[in-house]
């Protein structure tokens, strides 16, 4: 596992687009590795990446000098997955975050600053990906609205019953929601008062289709 997810080859093999790897549930995080193996395994993975970074800069820094930095990264950024870690160090090598290796020394503060910036880029990528997914789902839902309503009131009533239990069905009935509350908050409000909240949401959806 250490050989597969650390060092130069791992950095080369990871996908380049951060949106493809950011917060993906099928890729183990540093916390997952700690639970499955131990803290030493995570520290070794990160230390190997640091060693690869310094070797790329043609320095003589040894791996045992990286253990404190690796432990700090493992505890502060435990939520990063292994692909994200590989991508971060590859970006360091191409100079995206400035000069991290100075002569024979690793600039630890620069490494941590770079990680902070990477995490911000990661959050932006996740938000962009989720926005694209929501826009796609809403577009698909709008195309399904007419067949659903043509099924008659009985079918709509059945859907409303199911929507009280399943959020996805609620969003099929109301693909567009006002931005003042979160979708989950509107779902909870609708379950408390289907008639009043339903009229508000239906009117909002119809306005959106007329835009």
């Amino acid at each position: 596992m250490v050989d597969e997810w650390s060092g130069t080859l791992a950095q080369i093999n990871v996908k380049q687009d951060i949106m493809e790897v950011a917060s993906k549930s099928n890729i183990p995080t540093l916390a997952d590795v700690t639970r499955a193996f131990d803290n030493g395994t995570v520290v070794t993975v990160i230390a190997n990446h640091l060693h690869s970074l310094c070797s790329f800069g043609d320095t003589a820094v040894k791996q045992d000098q990286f253990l404190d930095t690796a432990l700090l990264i493992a505890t502060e950024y435990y939520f990063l997955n292994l692909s994200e870690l590989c991508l971060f160090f590859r970006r360091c090598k191409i100079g995206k975050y400035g000069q991290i290796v100075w002569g024979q020394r690793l600039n630890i503060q620069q490494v941590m600053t770079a990680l902070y910036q990477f995490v911000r880029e990661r959050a932006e990528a996740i938000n962009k990906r989720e926005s694209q997914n929501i826009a796609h789902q809403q577009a698909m839902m709008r195309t399904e609205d007419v067949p659903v309503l043509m099924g008659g009131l009985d079918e709509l009533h059945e859907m409303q019953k199911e929507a009280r239990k399943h959020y996805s069905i609620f969003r099929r009935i109301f693909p567009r929601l006002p931005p003042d509350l979160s979708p989950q908050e509107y779902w909870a409000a609708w379950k408390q008062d289907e008639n009043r909240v339903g009229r508000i949401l239906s009117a909002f959806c119809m306005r959106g289709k007329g835009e």
Side-chain angles (χ1 to χ4, degrees):
M1 197 282 296
V2 171
D3 292 339
E4 181 181 358
W5 288 104
S6 64
T8 301
L9 288 179
Q11 296 161 15
I12 292 173
N13 291 332
V14 74
K15 296 181 183 296
Q16 294 187 12
D17 190 346
I18 191 171
M19 287 181 62
E20 296 182 54
V21 298
S23 191
K24 285 291 188 177
S25 59
N26 62 331
I27 306 174
T29 65
L30 300 183
D32 293 332
V33 175
T34 298
R35 285 191 293 268
F37 297 93
D38 52 46
N39 200 47
T41 301
V42 172
V43 170
T44 300
V45 168
I46 300 172
N48 284 351
H49 279 300
L50 290 166
H51 185 266
S52 171
L53 176 61
C54 287
S55 297
F56 183 79
D58 195 24
T59 72
V61 182
K62 297 181 180 179
Q63 180 171 331
D64 57 6
Q65 296 175 263
F66 305 139
L67 296 181
D68 287 344
T69 306
L71 184 58
L72 183 61
I73 294 173
T75 53
E76 291 292 324
Y77 295 97
Y78 58 89
F79 52 87
L80 292 178
N81 66 44
L82 295 174
S83 288
E84 290 169 334
L85 195 68
C86 292
L87 180 58
F88 166 71
F89 280 102
R90 183 167 66 189
R91 288 185 168 191
C92 287
K93 284 184 176 180
I94 64 175
K96 183 174 178 63
Y97 306 116
Q99 188 171 352
I100 292 177
V101 178
W102 293 81
Q104 301 294 311
R105 299 185 60 186
L106 175 70
N107 189 331
I108 297 175
Q109 286 78 16
Q110 186 66 20
V111 171
M112 303 311 292
T113 299
L115 257 175
Y116 179 77
Q117 182 177 340
F118 176 79
V119 169
R120 292 181 63 183
E121 295 167 352
R122 171 184 182 268
E124 292 172 359
I126 293 170
N127 288 336
K128 183 177 180 181
R129 186 180 66 208
E130 291 182 350
S131 295
Q132 291 178 350
N133 289 340
I134 291 173
H136 175 72
Q137 291 171 3
Q138 289 180 343
M140 295 297 294
M141 288 173 179
R142 288 172 188 170
T143 63
E144 295 173 357
D145 281 347
V146 173
V148 168
L149 295 177
M150 287 179 63
L153 291 177
D154 290 342
E155 183 175 344
L156 182 58
H157 289 157
E158 287 300 315
M159 285 188 64
Q160 289 175 329
K161 291 180 182 178
E162 290 299 309
R164 296 182 63 83
K165 298 181 290 185
H166 302 289
Y167 172 74
S168 60
I169 298 179
F170 168 75
R171 292 309 306 271
R172 187 180 175 190
I173 298 174
F174 303 110
R176 298 183 71 252
L177 298 174
D180 55 328
L181 296 176
S182 70
Q184 289 77 13
E185 288 173 322
Y186 265 114
W187 184 36
W190 176 80
K191 287 190 290 184
Q192 291 294 323
D193 191 344
E194 290 184 16
N195 291 332
R196 184 178 65 84
V197 178
R199 286 194 297 271
I200 295 172
L201 299 184
S202 295
F204 186 82
C205 286
M206 293 307 296
R207 284 202 305 272
K209 292 178 181 180
E211 294 173 355

